Amino acid sequence: MASGKILRQLVKSGASGDTTAFRQASEAIIQEERQKQHHLLANDLEQILYGGGHRPASIANRSLRDRVPMDQERGLPLLGLREPVRGLEEVVLTEENQQVIEDILEQHHRADVLRSYGLRPADKILFCGPPGCGKTLTAEVIAAELSLPLALIRLDSVVSSYLGETAANLRKVFDFIDSTPMVVLFDEFDALGKERADASEHGELKRVVNAVLQMLDAYQGKSLIIAATNHEGMLDSAIWRRFEEVLIFGLPTREQLAKLLSIKLRGVRRDFELDDERVLALFPDMSYADVERVLRHAIKDMILKGQEFLQLRHLEKARQRELNRKQQLPEV
């Protein structure tokens, strides 16, 4: 429970209509709950306070948004900026990936030391693996740990139907991220780095891949670039050499699943143990995102039925809902 001082401030500001003080008191309560490891409650409070689930942009980042480059053809922004809210304790990684991420973070935290020896921290990383296995979340975590905004490249805006415009859009993006430190995520990177030897592809795509290679080679900016793909087999062979680190993401192991459950059910009262084989057996061949969706539906079911404890039957019902959902989805 939040301290009496903060609660008094919250009620007083709400009664007087002081929205600034009300937001500050609310944010203090959210911070207290996070420190107590009540992440589920903190996330719900943030959703209520901010609507979209993210913190409002700082003054610096609002200024940054004003300078986001636009696509000349349609006038759409070429990237979206997000303030990351989830830290390293929110992601479940293999030991190998955890070590690589920690090493990258240390390099950037101590970048001045490296530069004094004529070296740069790793600034081009490739994430590979199936959907829902933590690639985007890990990019957000890296941004949060480095206290940097997360820039999501919008491929629907970058890729243009006009000859040469895609490469021009990419140049605008690289120019933008060159001067201002941020973590930049190129999701679905195979759309920009597809194998040039594919005879079915036209010359424009090959020119785009060449442009991407040249920009990656020449990049000496202040941002950390992360490219993510669900189809690493489609990438041009020359793409791989441009990245200093390659992380492979996969479906959770039994141990990783237990850790994910402990994170996502923290603060939730339940009548089962997290290492109960009956619980772990509910999530075979499910991605991290699938498991989170099942847990979210189970918790909602518990709340709406006015029940105090999360039970195995809530999980079983939510799991069946997820299986039905997958059966309706088209194969990709």
Side-chain angles (χ1 to χ4, degrees):
M1 178 63 68
S3 68
K5 179 181 179 181
I6 295 177
L7 287 176
R8 281 192 290 271
Q9 180 184 348
L10 182 71
V11 173
K12 181 179 178 181
S13 60
S16 64
D18 187 340
T19 56
T20 300
F22 181 83
R23 182 179 294 275
Q24 290 173 344
S26 301
E27 289 173 344
I29 291 174
I30 292 169
Q31 181 63 28
E32 276 195 11
E33 295 306 317
R34 286 212 182 278
Q35 290 173 352
K36 297 174 185 175
Q37 306 299 310
H38 297 165
H39 296 290
L40 186 67
L41 175 58
N43 290 342
D44 287 344
L45 292 175
E46 281 187 337
Q47 177 67 33
I48 294 170
L49 183 62
Y50 303 132
H54 304 296
R55 291 179 177 276
S58 64
I59 294 175
N61 282 348
R62 286 200 295 270
S63 173
L64 195 60
R65 281 189 171 89
D66 293 338
R67 297 189 286 110
V68 167
M70 310 291 284
D71 167 49
Q72 185 174 350
E73 178 186 352
R74 291 157 292 179
L76 298 174
L78 298 177
L79 54 87
L81 292 174
R82 176 191 299 177
E83 290 203 31
V85 296
R86 292 181 286 186
L88 199 55
E89 73 282 354
E90 291 291 304
V91 66
V92 179
L93 299 167
T94 63
E95 289 185 12
E96 295 82 359
N97 285 353
Q98 179 87 18
Q99 184 58 53
V100 172
I101 295 300
E102 290 178 356
D103 180 58
I104 291 170
L105 292 175
E106 182 179 16
Q107 290 184 40
H108 282 267
H109 285 310
R110 305 186 65 192
D112 290 344
V113 175
L114 292 177
R115 291 193 177 98
S116 70
Y117 286 87
L119 299 171
R120 288 171 51 85
D123 58 5
K124 291 184 282 288
I125 308 169
L126 180 62
F127 289 173
C128 304
C133 286
K135 298 187 296 297
T136 301
L137 173 58
T138 302
E140 179 183 348
V141 164
I142 291 174
E145 293 294 325
L146 295 177
S147 300
L148 294 175
L150 177 64
L152 303 172
I153 306 305
R154 299 183 53 178
L155 291 184
D156 58 335
S157 301
V158 170
V159 177
S160 172
S161 60
Y162 283 76
L163 184 65
E165 190 64 25
T166 299
N169 285 340
L170 282 170
R171 170 47 59 199
K172 292 178 185 177
V173 168
F174 272 85
D175 287 344
F176 180 71
I177 68 176
D178 182 78
S179 58
T180 304
M182 61 185 75
V183 173
V184 185
L185 178 62
F186 285 84
D187 203 3
E188 300 181 9
F189 187 68
D190 43 278
L192 298 173
K194 195 172 182 181
E195 175 61 60
R196 288 169 292 178
D198 189 339
S200 64
E201 295 299 343
H202 51 76
E204 174 64 7
L205 178 64
K206 295 177 181 180
R207 284 190 287 272
V208 168
V209 176
N210 287 334
V212 170
L213 292 172
Q214 292 168 5
M215 292 178 198
L216 288 174
D217 278 339
Y219 182 72
Q220 294 286 313
K222 297 180 179 179
S223 297
L224 170 59
I225 296 175
I226 299 175
T229 177
N230 303 333
H231 307 286
E232 58 269 23
M234 296 173 59
L235 293 178
D236 190 275
S237 57
I239 288 287
W240 295 86
R241 297 193 298 272
R242 269 61 184 188
F243 293 94
E244 296 154 272
E245 299 285 357
V246 177
L247 279 72
I248 306 299
F249 293 76
L251 298 177
T253 63
R254 186 182 187 280
E255 291 74 19
Q256 290 166 345
L257 175 58
K259 184 177 180 181
L260 178 66
L261 293 176
S262 70
I263 292 173
K264 297 304 175 182
L265 295 180
R266 188 182 292 140
V268 178
R269 303 182 72 181
R270 57 186 187 277
D271 67 356
F272 55 83
E273 298 297 327
L274 295 179
D275 58 356
D276 188 325
E277 193 57 44
R278 295 174 302 165
V279 175
L280 297 177
L282 291 174
F283 306 101
D285 301 324
M286 283 193 181
S287 70
Y288 293 94
D290 295 336
V291 175
E292 286 193 42
R293 199 158 37 243
V294 169
L295 296 179
R296 190 160 54 247
H297 285 308
I299 292 170
K300 287 180 179 179
D301 187 33
M302 174 195 73
I303 292 172
L304 293 177
K305 285 184 169 50
Q307 294 166 342
E308 188 175 358
F309 291 90
L310 186 66
Q311 300 173 2
L312 187 62
R313 61 185 180 85
H314 295 127
L315 296 179
E316 291 171 338
K317 178 181 176 182
R319 171 184 177 272
Q320 188 57 52
R321 175 174 176 171
E322 178 64 18
L323 294 177
N324 293 341
R325 172 183 173 275
K326 283 193 169 186
Q327 289 176 352
Q328 297 172 8
L329 294 175
E331 293 186 10
V332 294

